[in-house]
Amino acid sequence: MKENLEVILAFIIVLGALISLISAIGVIRLPDVYTRNHAASKGATLGILLILSCAFLFFWVEDGYMNARLLLGIIFVFLTAPVAGHLISRAAYYSGVPLWEKSGQDALKTKNKQGKQKQR
Amino acid sequence: MALQILLNIFLAFTWMFLGNSFTVGSLFGGYLVGLLMIYFMRRFFPNRFYLYNVIAAIKLLLLFIKELILSNIAILKIILSPKLDIKPGIFALPTELTKDWEITMLANLITLTPGTLVIDISDDRKTLYIHAMDLKDVEDSIESIKQTFEKAIKEVSRS
């Protein structure tokens, strides 16, 4: 029973590492800042989440030792990663990084133009 | 809601003092008894019975985890497909939420949903500007996801 559980936990840890690897490939492969940010903010979040929660479960099953810091780490990553993604892409947009040329509409552009006209 | 929780804890302590046994078990039992009392006295409170809000918050958390997994699968599909036939873009989404924490929750949820990332929130806090990974087929389905998220968040903050 315990061995089976450990095999499952090991499998999930490998899965988390694979997800982190694929999100790193996405950062290299995707064309512009915003799409790269998609890969970085989502893939890294789930990968780290899986690895940390499995580490928590492993020490609990193996040693009967509950490490609450791992749980806190999960909660902090869960809360802060999307905010970081939002702030980085927002800063990129306002410092004038262009979208990929194949992109469709850009609703934010029209909004900022209207704002500038109001200031004049 | 906070008032009802405080009252419940106070009732639990009263139960513990009445029973003269200071253990976690008796505190928990007193909490359950207080919960029952607050449930029967619910018409005297201005807000609704607080357990409904707690259940709504748990549902929101489960939704969060489900969307995180789904968004990762969507991203993996895009990254590992041999050809990049995506069409990114920015679209505007009007929101009905008013409080700051509600908008923050909605923005976090949207950032973790399949293929969307919040870039900016307008100054009057009525529109979210969202960068979508694949604009052509996602926009309608995303609209429906937003409706479910907004509904779940409203359910949590309803008093």
Side-chain angles (χ1 to χ4, degrees), chain A residues 22-32 35-36 100, chain B residues 76-85:
Chain A
I22 292 172
S23 75
I25 293 173
V27 170
I28 295 171
R29 197 170 166 221
L30 289 171
D32 70 346
T35 44
R36 279 176 191 166
W100 192 31
Chain B
L76 296 193
K77 264 187 201 157
I78 290 175
I79 291 172
L80 294 181
S81 68
K83 256 178 26 184
L84 277 179
D85 56 345

Side-chain angles (χ1 to χ4, degrees), chain B residues 23-40:
Chain B
T23 59
V24 178
S26 75
L27 188 72
F28 189 68
Y31 196 85
L32 286 184
V33 172
L35 202 67
L36 208 65
M37 283 163 70
I38 288 176
Y39 181 71
F40 285 122

Side-chain angles (χ1 to χ4, degrees), chain B residues 34-95:
Chain B
L35 202 67
L36 208 65
M37 283 163 70
I38 288 176
Y39 181 71
F40 285 122
M41 298 285 171
R42 65 190 181 279
R43 58 187 284 255
F44 297 107
F45 294 106
N47 303 327
R48 64 175 178 165
F49 184 50
Y50 78 92
L51 211 57
Y52 292 127
N53 295 51
V54 174
I55 291 170
I58 292 170
K59 268 187 194 163
L60 189 65
L61 184 71
L62 291 181
L63 192 69
F64 216 82
I65 293 171
K66 190 190 114 196
E67 288 300 330
L68 181 64
I69 293 169
L70 283 183
S71 79
N72 269 284
I73 294 170
I75 289 284
L76 296 193
K77 264 187 201 157
I78 290 175
I79 291 172
L80 294 181
S81 68
K83 256 178 26 184
L84 277 179
D85 56 345
I86 54 173
K87 189 166 184 283
I90 298 175
F91 67 94
L93 174 90
T95 178

Side-chain angles (χ1 to χ4, degrees), chain B residues 3 10 24 50 75 77 100 125 129 133 139 142 159:
Chain B
L3 175 81
F10 177 73
V24 178
Y50 78 92
I75 289 284
K77 264 187 201 157
D100 276 353
R125 293 183 189 140
Y129 293 95
M133 191 83 151
E139 205 161 334
I142 280 174
S159 60

